[in-house]
Amino acid sequence: MVESKETESRKLLGRLRDAMAGDDPGQERLDKITTLIAGSIGTEVCSIYLFLDDETLELCATDGLNRDAVHQTRLKLGEGLVGRVARRRRVINTPDAPNQAGFRFMPETGEESFSSFLGVPIQRLGESLGVLVVQSKDARVYTADEIYALEVVAMVLAEMTELGAFVGGEGSAMLARHSQPSMLRGTVAQEGVAEGHIWLHEPRVVVTNPIADDPHRELERLSVAVEELRVGVDKMMEMAGDGEQRQVLEAYRMFANSKGWMRRMQEDIGRGLSAEAAVEKEQSLARARMGQVTDSYLRERLSDLDDLSNRMLRILTGQGQNTGAEMPANPILVASNIGPAELLEYGRSLKGIILEKGSVGSHAAIVARALAIPLIVHVDRITTEALNGDHVMLDGEQGIVHLRPDETVVSAFRDKIAMEAEAQQRYASIRDKPAMTKCGSLIELHMNAGLMADLPSLEHSGAEGVGLFRTELQFLVRSRMPTRSELSAFYGRVLDAAPGKEVVFRTLDIGSDKVLPYMKPNDEPNPALGWRAIRVALDKPGIMRMQLQALIRAANGRPLTVMFPFVAQYEEYTQARAEVDRTLAREAKLGHVLPESIKIGAMLETPSLGFAPRKFFEEVDFISIGGNDLKQFFFAADRENERVRKRYDTLNVSFLSFLEQIVERCDQSKTPVSFCGEDAGRPVEALCLAAIGLRRLSMRPASIGPIKNLLRRSNLEEVRKVIFDARHRGDMSVRPAIMQWLRENG
Ligand code: PEP
Ligand code: MG
């Protein structure tokens, strides 16, 4: 019985393939397909609805309904039974459609005479392309088998739509997929605007043979591929540590050995799909489910299945990273996610980056920031919507991606880019001038860096030095620990690139989100509050010693400035400083030239250090406020968590008062203090930081121009008064008052 149904299904797919083989225009192909399906399933009606835009479906072909309605009947997503199938991405099967909730009467199609209705979504990789419908006059309930057969056909239709098989029809819904403008939103991880062409980090796998004649051969291909997959996962398991990666791999292994997954794919093949189409069909279902489940654990497992399916597709099609395609001019990289090493390989050739997942604080974001490449993360659907070479405009201020933009968007966007360029010119003209405010305060503007590639910005931006050199990246992008001589050579080159200017090297800040790939990860319940930064350095001083030696040798007699991250109490500073002294003594003994002078600072990133004994403030050579971490701990709001990240304003009066107290304590002990969190690079924030007494700010290079421009035109006495009044009134944040003052002062 099953055998005969499978044969029936294969026959239908075989006929579909024949219908596609000729040179018929898209419309004729679709018409033929509806006739074939209606005939095979034994229904009076078969119709195909395709998406016209994100919200509208259009009847594109029918056998059984009034043909005049083709390209005339349109439905909104969620409207009528067809719209419901599309929105929920789920089958609707009813013997009595007119009395089914949501039914919409469409007189032009003449469909009221049909009682039963079966609609299945046409989708590929979770992307909804349309709906396939069969209807009959008799009140029949379609069997599970018939539903299954129609789903297989819908899968083939999706592949064919993707391949452009129906282009050339009369309706606009039949334009090639991916040819229409689309606007997608995400979260800004690095500001800036860019125009260019899409470059897919992982090219889409294209299945050119969804239908196969020989199920035995396809079953064999499937089992060979699954075996290869299992071996691959086992190998990865051997190399993985105990942490989260292992959990993911275990989930992979579970799926790779899942009998249910295999059985469903085998059934699909039995019905005429090729092995890759069967994998994709399962993947599509998983993606559709992913959009519906709210349980985060389940979502993650579905996402694991998605990754695994991608691996399978690459094995089966042989399509991988290297398709031979050439990177377009002004490439804008699109990826689901990307690691820092891969991103560094692309380097500055990229004009922008769009990630479907990613996060604002990820390593990729750190690299993008270091390279000053605009980055938008959490852009839903981008990897399925964008094709290699597509024209794209990336608005890294609003977090908007304009894919295949139309003329009006293009011209408005180009105006924006031109304005930006104009502003840059204005900033260039004050590059060598000091950031002297109207009231005569001199603010030093330094830049943050982390790569050799950052150093040229020292000159372009007019920065007075490097106020924060994050040393993590050289550790993070390798598969092994860098050697002392590699580090020393690297730091030496950094110093060479900054002649006469100070570079503040921050010692390794690992732990929390920054996990070294070659170190055994620690399973900590709260990594941000865990064993990180100076805590690791003091407990396991080997790496810190090696890094300090590398820095001393790199300085080679030049002045050296070092600071320790995440110092939470005075003793941690004294212990670290003692380590520096011991290292200096050892280096001298070994005959190395010592730095001409050495300054050892501490980063103030936890509220506790703001309350350290006066002795600490007297002893430390300088303090740098790490506002990103300090703010997260002040408000107890995870800087990585999108839900709470922006909940508390940096200009909140309590936080500003706390910062002011730190500045006062530093003034009392004459301790130089600077601020190096991201907020230093935001004009309004920078203005307030200067107003409460900070005289040194370190920021990303691109911010130096705009901030200097604003500071030079501002009177800090007035800003201070605005802050004072806001505080006196009991405002939650001083931002509204400052914004108003800025407006009033042009
Ligand atoms: C900070 O916390 O403000 C800081 C500058 O360090 P990072 O962002 O590298 O944690
Ligand atoms: Mg920090």
Side-chain angles (χ1 to χ4, degrees):
M1 183 70 188
V2 170
E3 182 63 21
S4 76
K5 277 185 181 138
E6 289 201 342
T7 316
E8 191 57 35
S9 188
R10 271 211 304 282
K11 264 196 217 147
L12 172 59
L13 291 195
R15 287 191 207 113
L16 285 186
R17 188 175 45 190
D18 295 343
M20 302 300 300
D23 291 334
D24 296 340
Q27 185 66 49
E28 271 176 42
R29 287 177 164 177
L30 271 187
D31 292 343
K32 270 191 201 166
I33 287 173
T34 53
T35 309
L36 283 172
I37 298 172
S40 168
I41 303 196
T43 55
E44 277 105 358
V45 176
C46 173
S47 314
I48 294 171
Y49 296 80
L50 295 176
F51 272 100
L52 193 60
D53 54 49
D54 287 351
E55 290 290 316
T56 322
L57 287 150
E58 183 178 276
L59 176 65
C60 285
T62 184
D63 183 272
L65 294 184
N66 183 354
R67 290 229 178 210
D68 292 341
V70 171
H71 300 307
Q72 302 303 320
T73 291
R74 290 181 182 170
L75 292 155
K76 287 278 168 222
L77 191 64
E79 188 185 1
L81 297 185
V82 173
R84 287 189 167 207
V85 172
R87 184 163 69 190
R88 295 190 200 154
R89 300 193 188 174
R90 261 194 250 144
V91 171
I92 291 185
N93 177 14
T94 168
D96 185 10
N99 285 312
Q100 175 82 14
F103 178 79
R104 201 200 97 180
F105 177 51
M106 293 179 289
E108 72 276 18
T109 64
E111 74 169 347
E112 84 276 25
S113 53
F114 300 103
S115 178
S116 70
F117 173 103
L118 169 61
V120 301
I122 302 173
Q123 54 187 342
R124 181 179 188 269
L125 300 181
E127 184 186 16
S128 216
L129 305 175
V131 179
L132 174 62
V133 176
V134 290
Q135 291 169 280
S136 311
K137 282 190 178 139
D138 55 339
R140 74 194 254 198
V141 178
Y142 296 92
T143 63
D145 227 80
E146 284 167 329
I147 297 173
Y148 194 82
L150 210 62
E151 278 180 342
V152 170
V153 172
M155 171 72 214
V156 172
L157 279 179
E159 291 299 342
M160 289 172 171
T161 311
E162 172 70 20
L163 292 172
F166 307 124
V167 176
E170 297 142 34
S172 28
M174 313 218 352
L175 286 173
R177 289 287 307 164
H178 309 287
S179 66
Q180 294 164 50
S182 181
M183 191 183 95
L184 306 164
R185 284 180 189 278
T187 307
V188 178
Q190 164 69 16
E191 289 101 347
V193 286
E195 175 177 5
H197 294 93
I198 296 285
W199 178 251
L200 295 174
H201 180 55
E202 290 189 330
R204 284 160 76 92
V205 171
V206 184
V207 176
T208 49
N209 59 336
I211 304 170
D213 287 330
D214 183 352
H216 298 293
R217 186 169 164 270
E218 295 306 306
L219 287 173
E220 178 62 22
R221 289 182 64 225
L222 183 74
S223 82
V224 169
V226 167
E227 197 44 43
E228 193 175 328
L229 184 75
R230 279 185 199 143
V231 172
V233 172
D234 284 348
K235 261 198 203 135
M236 287 192 278
M237 287 282 266
E238 277 166 30
M239 286 157 53
D242 287 336
E244 208 175 312
Q245 198 193 0
R246 192 170 188 92
Q247 263 181 26
V248 170
L249 288 172
E250 262 159 16
Y252 278 9
R253 180 136 80 178
M254 190 184 81
F255 284 120
N257 289 308
S258 153
K259 294 213 170 62
W261 187 50
M262 258 323 251
R263 196 196 57 241
R264 287 192 300 275
M265 290 192 292
Q266 284 162 344
E267 279 173 16
D268 294 337
I269 288 175
R271 286 176 181 265
L273 289 187
S274 64
E276 40 273 65
V279 174
E280 252 200 4
K281 180 165 170 281
E282 279 303 305
Q283 187 179 20
S284 265
L285 289 176
R287 283 215 182 163
R289 249 178 285 153
M290 211 166 3
Q292 284 154 3
V293 296
T294 45
D295 181 278
S296 66
Y297 178 79
L298 262 182
R299 277 179 68 91
E300 270 173 34
R301 294 295 78 83
L302 285 168
S303 145
D304 293 340
L305 178 58
D306 194 61
D307 287 346
L308 205 65
S309 305
N310 280 332
R311 281 170 198 267
M312 276 283 277
L313 285 172
R314 290 210 186 90
I315 294 173
L316 281 164
T317 60
Q319 296 169 23
Q321 309 272 357
N322 228 330
T323 54
E326 244 185 63
M327 203 192 266
N330 300 322
I332 297 209
L333 187 78
V334 165
S336 171
N337 216 341
I338 190 166
E342 290 167 304
L343 196 50
L344 269 176
E345 260 172 48
Y346 284 108
R348 282 188 200 276
S349 63
L350 300 176
K351 284 276 170 281
I353 308 160
I354 309 168
L355 300 181
E356 190 154 315
K357 296 178 188 156
S359 83
V360 174
S362 65
H363 303 149
I366 298 172
V367 174
R369 242 168 259 149
L371 297 173
I373 300 171
L375 164 66
I376 306 186
V377 298
H378 296 152
V379 182
D380 221 18
R381 296 190 291 123
I382 187 69
T383 56
T384 42
E385 275 285 320
L387 291 187
N388 259 345
D390 275 351
H391 185 202
V392 62
M393 295 183 137
L394 186 156
D395 185 342
E397 255 120 52
Q398 310 283 334
I400 297 176
V401 174
H402 299 282
L403 192 60
R404 303 176 289 265
D406 59 27
E407 273 315 303
T408 39
V409 173
V410 170
S411 69
F413 198 86
R414 289 202 177 136
D415 284 350
K416 196 169 177 163
I417 293 181
M419 267 163 62
E420 176 107 331
E422 227 173 79
Q424 288 303 333
Q425 269 191 343
R426 202 165 48 240
Y427 306 146
S429 69
I430 54 168
R431 190 180 56 194
D432 300 321
K433 302 210 164 107
M436 174 79 83
T437 64
K438 271 192 171 163
C439 52
S441 302
L442 186 63
I443 317 292
E444 278 183 46
L445 304 181
H446 293 246
M447 63 174 241
N448 294 347
L451 291 170
M452 203 54 223
D454 288 320
L455 272 299
S457 299
L458 202 48
E459 164 123 24
H460 306 151
S461 67
E464 292 181 49
V466 178
L468 165 66
F469 193 96
R470 292 182 166 102
T471 59
E472 295 79 69
L473 278 172
Q474 290 71 47
F475 288 81
L476 285 167
V477 299
R478 285 187 167 79
S479 54
R480 58 167 176 83
M481 180 84 78
T483 64
R484 186 174 48 209
S485 57
E486 279 169 347
L487 286 180
S488 160
F490 174 76
Y491 300 145
R493 274 186 283 132
V494 171
L495 289 170
D496 292 345
K501 293 188 171 174
E502 186 178 51
V503 180
V504 181
F505 288 99
R506 172 176 79 183
T507 60
L508 191 56
D509 184 7
I510 50 161
S512 187
D513 63 319
K514 299 168 194 150
V515 181
L516 299 187
Y518 39 87
M519 255 172 82
K520 209 168 150 244
N522 283 293
D523 250 338
E524 293 186 301
N526 275 310
L529 307 178
W531 197 55
R532 53 176 291 197
I534 196 167
R535 299 172 184 176
V536 180
L538 293 176
D539 292 354
K540 295 231 180 276
I543 302 181
M544 172 169 57
R545 269 182 214 143
M546 189 264 278
Q547 204 184 9
L548 288 172
Q549 283 180 315
L551 284 165
I552 293 166
R553 293 181 196 181
N556 195 21
R558 290 175 279 193
L560 180 64
T561 310
V562 178
M563 69 179 171
F564 292 102
F566 213 66
V567 177
Q569 59 183 8
Y570 175 29
E571 286 70 17
E572 285 172 344
Y573 176 74
T574 47
Q575 284 169 19
R577 184 157 196 143
E579 196 60 62
V580 178
D581 290 338
R582 279 195 290 274
T583 310
L584 284 168
R586 209 174 307 121
E587 288 295 285
K589 232 185 195 169
L590 290 171
H592 292 287
V593 188
L594 297 189
E596 173 193 312
S597 58
I598 186 159
K599 280 197 254 172
I600 320 271
M603 282 188 80
L604 197 156
E605 304 190 89
T606 61
S608 62
L609 200 66
F611 300 96
R614 187 183 164 101
K615 223 163 166 298
F616 162 72
F617 286 86
E618 287 167 355
E619 202 172 298
V620 70
D621 291 336
F622 64 93
I623 284 174
S624 187
I625 300 174
N628 305 335
D629 274 313
L630 186 62
K631 187 178 160 192
Q632 107 165 316
F633 296 117
F634 186 80
F635 289 109
D638 187 345
R639 63 193 261 193
E640 294 280 319
N641 181 338
E642 287 304 317
R643 281 223 174 114
V644 298
R645 201 169 64 82
K646 291 196 187 140
R647 194 177 176 97
Y648 305 99
D649 192 351
T650 304
L651 301 187
N652 173 295
V653 285
S654 316
F655 190 51
L656 273 190
S657 300
F658 180 50
L659 292 177
E660 204 171 7
Q661 279 173 36
I662 297 169
V663 174
E664 272 166 21
R665 293 202 68 187
C666 289
D667 285 349
Q668 282 162 14
S669 54
K670 302 211 168 19
T671 314
V673 58
S674 65
F675 186 103
C676 66
E678 295 305 316
D679 285 315
R682 303 193 171 104
V684 180
E685 281 81 342
L687 184 64
C688 292
L689 293 173
I692 60 165
L694 279 151
R695 290 293 169 267
R696 183 168 168 157
L697 304 174
S698 192
M699 61 197 72
R700 62 194 182 100
S703 293
I704 290 183
I707 285 174
K708 192 188 282 186
N709 188 40
L710 178 62
L711 287 172
R712 283 170 58 88
R713 294 189 299 160
S714 302
N715 183 331
L716 295 184
E717 299 290 344
E718 289 174 25
V719 181
R720 222 181 338 260
K721 177 155 189 325
V722 176
I723 295 175
F724 179 86
D725 291 345
R727 204 181 267 158
H728 193 69
R729 275 194 306 272
D731 292 1
M732 184 170 75
S733 162
V734 306
R735 190 178 300 276
I738 293 285
M739 294 309 286
Q740 185 170 349
W741 178 83
L742 281 169
R743 274 192 298 275
E744 283 165 5
N745 289 274

